[in-house]
Amino acid sequence: MVWFSLGLCFVVARLFSRVLAESDATHFSKNVSSCPESRFGLVAQLSLAGAPCNAFGTDFEDLTIQVTYETDSRLRVRIADSGNKQFTIPESVIARPPPPTTSFTHSSDLVFNYEPSPFSFWITRRSNPDATPLFDTRFSSLPKPPLAPVIPDDNSTALDGFSLVFEDQYLQLTSSLPLDANIYGLGEVIANSGFRRNVASNGGSIQTLWARDIADPIDQNMYGNHPVYVEHRFNETTNEAQSHGVFLFSSSGADILLLTPPGASQSLVQYRMIGGVFDFYFFSGPTPHAVIEQYGQLRSKFMKIILMPFRWGYISINETMDQVQAMRAANIPLEVMWNDIDLYHAFRDFTSDPVSFPGDAMRAFIQEPPITNITSLYWTLRFPIPPMPQMSGHELDTFVKNPDGSEYIGKVWPGYTVFPDWFADGTQQWWTESLKNWSDEGVEYSGIWLDMNEISSFCQGSCGTGADLSDTSVPFPLPGSPGALVTDYPECYDSSVSGPSGNFTVNGALTCTDSNIQALLKRGEGAGGEQGVSLNAPPYAIHNGIGDLSINTLATNATHAGGFAELDVHNMWGMMEEKATHLALQQLQPGKRPVIIARSTFPSSGKWAGHWLGDNFSKWEYLYYNIQGILQFQIFQIPFVGADTCGFNGNTDEELCNRWMQLSAFVPFYRNHNERGALSQEPYRWDSVANASRTAIATRYTLLPYWTSLFANASLRGTPPVRALWYEFPTEAELFSVDKQFLVGADILVTPVLTPNVSTVEGIFPGRGQVTWRDYYTHKVVDVSSNGTATLSAPLGHINVHIRGGSALLLHANPGYTTTETRGGPFSLLVSLESNEHAFGTAYIDDGVTNPPTESRNLTFSATAGHLAISSNGNFAVEQKLQQITILGVTADPTDVSVSGITAENWQFIPELQKLVIYNLALDLNGAQTVSW
């Protein structure tokens, strides 16, 4: 491994290796070529400036660097082998923005700087050129090597140097960071450090990128891969803050190291990849919203907000129907029922069990209003079950292959299986036809749930070769079966107090006692076409949590159409399935927005699907981890996200489920789901959980217009619907690590209870006394201490929610049993004036179904002293009327109230709350309206 020089004017030869010390290097020079600049950036050649080292593969001698100022806020820096042998993501899989036609080289706030030999580059802001660079690969900006292992128990974090390395199976690039930088993103991960990534503690941390089927591990790689981060910088001297973003567009397996060497004056981020090319996008921000939106300009998305309770283990259509009836009898809103693999015949996709879930009974159940059905897909079969598609997957040549051209055969729940090859020409046709035939047979799904699409296989390698393919035995017992019973008591449960049932009454004896509370933790073809590469055992071993890259998934030498090796495309399998399913549903359900939830995700997944946070655990710490996961996926442009409420693995308890049902009511994706064989956790089973759920879901449905507006902004601009507190208050350093609270939009602050046996919760209220926060339910102004915190009453069944001064929220006045019922009722408007008597808000309305939404209406609410103006624009006809307006922060008892110039008769003023309520209205939201008081 050696330094590269920039092909322009200079050549200096030095040798560096992460394995060889710099003192062992030899030096020589190499001819260089020109480096022409253009209106849009530059293209240059880099040449190896020394003898190849070939430590983890074969060094490329010539590279091409392409720098493109794509917009005023986005800069692309791509470094690739000049022969284009390394794998790059095809445009057909993920389309990139077209080349710019306008020059931004002199207007962009991002500036590309470089030193030609040895080559290094750094990114600065045009608006502040003397500030610390945003990204800086210069040796002078990095700690002085060699360094002993920075993470003491990980020898791979020894750092002998920081040169640019570009081999066929190993790429390395390092940038300096401010000391203990504020880094957010890089995932998917459940980070022990919380939403703010660990850069310094114990040396730092490593984010590994390799899709993996694993039950929600801590600080390890898991289902999805998103090499994008937001960095936030705050200058205490000037009280100014700016954010920027860095995205590596690559599907390669990789380690991304966030490290702080002992005694160093800076931290660093180091990329170590086992293939591909360096393709970086830099986003200038300068606000966190702007960074996420700029990343979102590469993506698009639009999803409905729906409540989706479900449990794995409903063994028949009759039991599923019973659960729907029980929820209705308890008056707990239920929007969707989910069916897991219990539905299938012998666990085979595109089938239903003829005894337990016969097609006719499924059709009748699904057609019964108002419940819709979401059904799970895991993988597909070698031999489709009748009715046969027009052509089978085998005939269409749609399955992943072995290197010798035979079909790759793994093993999952239905036994031996093959796997769709999304690169093959016929796969989309076969997938669409299979989904159609399945629906025609009675499973008239409303949406699809894609699980285990990392992809998962229970054996290593193509284990079905030469095997008896008729063997459909389950590879190992399912949870709840003999030999795999789920018998652990819920966390903190004390059977000596509450008996052996596992269900305890919170209002009776407390079972989560001090003695048994668990300490809660802080929260081109590439390798397929290259000679001499190791497909099965790449020389550099990334930190895959399970070891060998082929364990529990496809072997890395599995082959895809076009000659692509699994080693290069593994991380994209789930996203490509999501894309194929979305396109299929668009064809099969034309004009409707596809509803898809998936486990393994990748950049651009948010255009095709939402995400649930995987197989979590019924433990209090995972209730907390729920929040950081949701915040991560806002950065990743997959805003429709949430966790399995009450926990998936293990047995939950009443108190934990109570708190979790409340928290989940304020996140985009809301589903109660647990494993087969665990204690039933439908909310109606405990009175306290049922009561808490009714209240929380009613609030959720009341807020649906606000959620809809947030998701419209996410779809159009990439604006995150759920936000960390510091997004809205970027100069308040005390918020940079806060992830036990979150904001819905800019205006709703949620402070959940995350620990057992408490009746209060400590909350921080941003604004440092300059922002008014009012209780969402009582409308009282919260009394905040001098340090910006308050101890809030939080009895079981109550979650603290506060609205921000200066906001105006359109709401549904009468929450119903489903979103359809709720949307059919009238609206109300809640205005929370700030101390300057101003408030502002917007709302987006459409029919909630049409794809794309051809008709919509945008409302604007603007309040000043004694006056509220409502403007309305768009072509969607809003049938529902505005029934009530509540204005908080009215300092004097009004003598007169008028609505659009007509004196109002029905109004009330509550002085102790400074609250004016105007009721019995029937205002048309298709036109302008005014209110004066």
Side-chain angles (χ1 to χ4, degrees):
M1 283 172 281
V2 302
W3 283 342
F4 286 89
S5 10
L6 177 63
L8 178 59
C9 333
F10 309 102
V11 176
V12 175
R14 294 183 64 189
L15 177 66
F16 152 76
S17 169
R18 195 172 58 85
V19 176
L20 299 177
E22 292 186 32
S23 59
D24 298 326
T26 58
H27 305 268
F28 67 95
S29 63
K30 189 171 179 62
N31 293 330
V32 297
S33 58
S34 63
C35 170
E37 296 190 13
S38 74
R39 294 177 56 226
F40 309 111
L42 64 85
V43 178
Q45 302 304 308
L46 304 181
S47 298
L48 202 61
C53 190
N54 302 329
F56 291 126
T58 301
D59 287 290
F60 285 97
E61 294 193 0
D62 298 297
L63 304 180
T64 299
I65 180 169
Q66 183 174 1
V67 178
T68 308
Y69 291 89
E70 295 195 338
T71 71
D72 278 333
S73 59
R74 185 174 74 235
L75 172 68
R76 185 182 185 184
V77 177
R78 185 178 188 272
I79 305 174
D81 58 299
S82 298
N84 292 319
K85 294 182 178 180
Q86 291 285 92
F87 176 79
T88 58
I89 298 172
E91 284 274 350
S92 60
V93 176
I94 303 177
R96 266 74 91 194
T101 57
T102 300
S103 176
F104 299 101
T105 55
H106 301 296
S107 60
S108 171
D109 195 35
L110 297 172
V111 179
F112 176 83
N113 311 271
Y114 66 86
E115 290 178 349
S117 186
F119 171 71
S120 61
F121 72 92
W122 64 103
I123 309 298
T124 55
R125 288 190 187 275
R126 191 180 307 275
S127 58
N128 194 0
D130 297 327
T132 301
L134 309 185
F135 198 84
D136 192 350
T137 69
R138 291 174 294 179
F139 305 137
S140 60
S141 301
L142 291 158
K144 183 173 177 58
L147 296 167
V150 179
I151 298 176
D153 59 353
D154 189 340
N155 288 333
S156 76
T157 62
L159 303 171
D160 291 323
F162 299 110
S163 204
L164 168 64
V165 178
F166 204 111
E167 299 180 342
D168 53 5
Q169 291 203 273
Y170 185 74
L171 286 73
Q172 179 176 296
L173 184 144
T174 312
S175 170
S176 66
L177 293 171
L179 186 65
D180 197 14
N182 297 308
I183 300 289
Y184 307 87
L186 296 178
E188 177 181 12
V189 68
I190 298 172
N192 183 46
S193 62
F195 179 49
R196 181 181 181 270
R197 299 305 302 269
N198 172 28
V199 177
S201 178
N202 196 40
S205 58
I206 300 175
Q207 177 63 50
T208 297
L209 304 177
W210 190 255
R212 177 179 171 218
D213 174 5
I214 180 67
D216 283 19
I218 298 172
D219 290 329
Q220 295 182 12
N221 58 306
M222 45 194 300
Y223 317 111
N225 295 277
H226 296 273
V228 59
Y229 69 79
V230 176
E231 184 190 340
H232 186 63
R233 298 184 181 180
F234 173 57
N235 187 320
E236 293 184 3
T237 303
T238 63
N239 198 42
E240 295 176 338
Q242 290 184 321
S243 297
H244 67 273
V246 180
F247 170 46
L248 174 62
F249 185 51
S250 171
S251 60
S252 173
D255 284 337
I256 302 177
L257 287 68
L258 297 169
L259 301 178
T260 304
S265 59
Q266 69 277 95
S267 301
L268 61 88
V269 55
Q270 184 173 89
Y271 296 84
R272 300 177 180 176
M273 301 159 57
I274 58 175
V277 302
F278 289 122
D279 194 355
F280 285 102
Y281 288 86
F282 299 93
F283 308 102
S284 66
T287 68
H289 297 96
V291 174
I292 298 172
E293 290 171 350
Q294 288 154 13
Y295 180 53
Q297 289 173 7
L298 303 175
R299 316 281 170 252
S300 64
K301 66 231 67 73
F302 202 98
M303 297 295 293
K304 292 197 298 183
I305 312 298
I306 42 184
L307 168 65
M308 307 175 181
F310 162 81
R311 177 171 180 262
W312 179 16
Y314 296 148
I315 62 174
S316 70
I317 183 63
N318 291 331
E319 184 178 357
T320 305
M321 294 169 65
D322 290 344
Q323 301 306 321
V324 173
Q325 293 168 2
M327 290 286 284
R328 182 173 285 278
N331 195 30
I332 301 174
L334 176 66
E335 187 80 15
V336 173
M337 280 301 294
W338 292 68
N339 280 101
D340 207 316
I341 57 176
D342 313 276
L343 165 70
Y344 295 132
H345 176 60
F347 305 122
R348 300 175 181 179
D349 276 358
F350 307 124
T351 69
S352 62
D353 188 282
V355 177
S356 302
F357 292 89
D360 290 344
M362 284 294 295
R363 178 181 290 108
F365 167 66
I366 293 170
Q367 289 180 349
E368 178 182 350
I371 304 303
T372 53
N373 178 272
I374 309 289
T375 305
S376 171
L377 285 176
Y378 289 75
W379 45 82
T380 43
L381 307 175
R382 176 179 173 83
F383 304 111
I385 302 299
M388 293 283 286
Q390 294 177 0
M391 294 183 69
S392 71
H394 176 75
E395 291 172 317
L396 287 171
D397 197 24
T398 65
F399 299 128
V400 176
K401 303 289 194 305
N402 290 305
D404 64 3
S406 61
E407 289 178 343
Y408 184 102
I409 302 174
K411 198 169 189 179
V412 207
W413 294 117
Y416 293 111
T417 65
V418 290
F419 304 90
D421 179 5
W422 308 113
F423 290 95
D425 292 337
T427 305
Q428 183 68 58
Q429 173 191 342
W430 168 75
W431 190 249
T432 302
E433 290 173 349
S434 298
L435 286 167
K436 179 182 186 301
N437 289 334
W438 191 32
S439 184
D440 289 346
E441 281 297 292
V443 185
E444 297 179 355
Y445 46 79
S446 306
I448 296 293
W449 164 23
L450 301 172
D451 196 1
M452 300 177 71
N453 57 346
E454 290 74 30
I455 187 167
S456 179
S457 180
F458 297 156
C459 63
Q460 190 166 6
S462 188
C463 57
T465 302
D468 178 9
L469 298 183
S470 65
D471 178 9
T472 59
S473 60
V474 178
F476 48 82
L478 277 73
S481 301
L485 300 179
V486 184
T487 59
D488 291 344
Y489 282 119
E491 184 180 22
C492 304
Y493 185 85
D494 188 344
S495 60
S496 66
V497 174
S498 298
S501 70
N503 290 309
F504 67 86
T505 301
V506 172
N507 295 325
L510 288 175
T511 62
C512 192
T513 59
D514 292 341
S515 62
N516 59 5
I517 294 178
Q518 176 180 338
L520 302 181
L521 298 176
K522 292 183 178 180
R523 313 286 199 243
E525 287 186 13
E530 293 173 336
Q531 300 299 313
V533 298
S534 174
L535 292 178
N536 289 325
Y540 175 77
I542 62 175
H543 289 64
N544 185 27
I546 201 171
D548 191 297
L549 299 182
S550 296
I551 296 177
N552 282 5
T553 188
L554 301 186
T556 47
N557 70 344
T559 304
H560 298 261
F564 300 130
E566 176 69 11
L567 180 67
D568 285 321
V569 302
H570 170 78
N571 286 338
M572 298 193 300
W573 199 97
M575 178 275 295
M576 295 183 74
E577 183 191 41
E578 291 142 26
K579 180 179 180 180
T581 306
H582 187 106
L583 295 176
L585 291 185
Q586 281 188 314
Q587 181 176 337
L588 299 176
Q589 301 174 354
K592 295 184 179 180
R593 299 170 195 172
V595 177
I596 302 169
I597 296 297
R599 195 168 75 173
S600 182
T601 59
F602 188 75
S604 80
S605 281
K607 183 175 182 178
W608 312 114
H611 173 66
W612 93 101
L613 295 171
D615 295 347
N616 62 3
F617 291 83
S618 301
K619 295 182 180 296
W620 287 92
E621 63 183 294
Y622 279 85
L623 174 61
Y624 161 72
Y625 292 144
N626 189 159
I627 299 174
Q628 68 165 267
I630 292 165
L631 292 174
Q632 275 183 35
F633 276 85
Q634 308 305 299
I635 295 176
F636 302 156
Q637 289 295 308
I638 308 176
F640 192 61
V641 62
D644 280 345
T645 299
C646 301
F648 175 77
N649 287 297
N651 291 312
T652 195
D653 65 55
E654 182 177 357
E655 184 181 7
L656 175 60
C657 197
N658 189 309
R659 297 298 192 186
W660 213 325
M661 286 294 291
Q662 296 170 67
L663 184 151
S664 290
F666 294 90
V667 306
F669 177 60
Y670 187 5
R671 180 179 73 171
N672 182 321
H673 175 42
N674 68 331
E675 69 175 326
R676 186 175 184 266
L679 292 173
S680 297
Q681 61 187 43
E682 294 86 0
Y684 66 80
R685 296 182 182 275
W686 300 282
D687 287 344
S688 73
V689 180
N691 291 332
S693 300
R694 290 188 203 100
T695 301
I697 296 171
T699 305
R700 177 184 181 85
Y701 282 11
T702 299
L703 286 167
L704 276 177
Y706 187 64
W707 275 113
T708 300
S709 301
L710 292 174
F711 266 76
N713 286 331
S715 178
L716 295 171
R717 288 178 283 275
T719 313
V722 182
R723 304 171 190 175
L725 274 57
W726 66 267
Y727 288 12
E728 294 294 322
F729 301 89
T731 62
E732 298 182 15
E734 64 270 23
L735 303 178
F736 295 167
S737 296
V738 172
D739 59 3
K740 294 182 179 179
Q741 297 170 268
F742 59 93
L743 287 161
V744 179
D747 304 318
I748 298 175
L749 175 63
V750 181
T751 307
V753 171
L754 303 173
T755 55
N757 285 350
V758 298
S759 57
T760 62
V761 63
E762 191 80 4
I764 188 168
F765 287 83
R768 295 177 174 173
Q770 303 304 305
V771 174
T772 303
W773 294 95
R774 294 181 170 94
D775 188 289
Y776 179 83
Y777 305 102
T778 67
H779 297 160
K780 291 182 179 178
V781 175
V782 66
D783 185 13
V784 180
S785 67
S786 59
N787 65 359
T789 65
T791 300
L792 306 171
S793 176
L796 192 66
H798 177 70
I799 183 170
N800 278 277
V801 181
H802 291 84
I803 51 176
R804 182 176 179 176
S807 62
L809 311 179
L810 185 68
L811 308 173
H812 284 306
N814 302 319
Y817 188 72
T818 66
T819 57
T820 300
E821 292 180 15
T822 301
R823 286 170 58 93
F827 290 103
S828 64
L829 180 65
L830 177 60
V831 179
S832 180
L833 298 174
E834 194 42 275
S835 55
N836 59 6
E837 298 188 73
H838 284 70
F840 182 82
T842 61
Y844 168 93
I845 305 175
D846 66 15
D847 65 8
V849 176
T850 304
N851 184 43
T854 54
E855 296 183 345
S856 63
R857 183 163 294 277
N858 290 282
L859 306 175
T860 300
F861 312 100
S862 182
T864 56
H867 184 79
L868 169 68
I870 302 175
S871 64
S872 178
N873 295 282
N875 56 0
F876 178 75
V878 181
E879 297 180 0
Q880 298 79 8
K881 306 299 182 182
L882 179 59
Q883 182 183 66
Q884 179 172 299
I885 299 174
T886 301
I887 304 171
L888 308 176
V890 177
T891 55
D893 191 346
T895 57
D896 179 67
V897 175
S898 64
V899 178
S900 294
I902 300 175
T903 300
E905 300 294 334
N906 301 304
W907 60 274
Q908 179 185 14
F909 182 68
I910 305 172
E912 61 270 23
L913 295 176
Q914 297 184 335
K915 176 177 176 178
L916 172 64
V917 182
I918 311 166
Y919 53 93
N920 287 346
L921 297 171
L923 294 184
D924 185 354
L925 291 176
N926 295 296
Q929 305 286 353
T930 59
V931 178
S932 298
W933 62 92

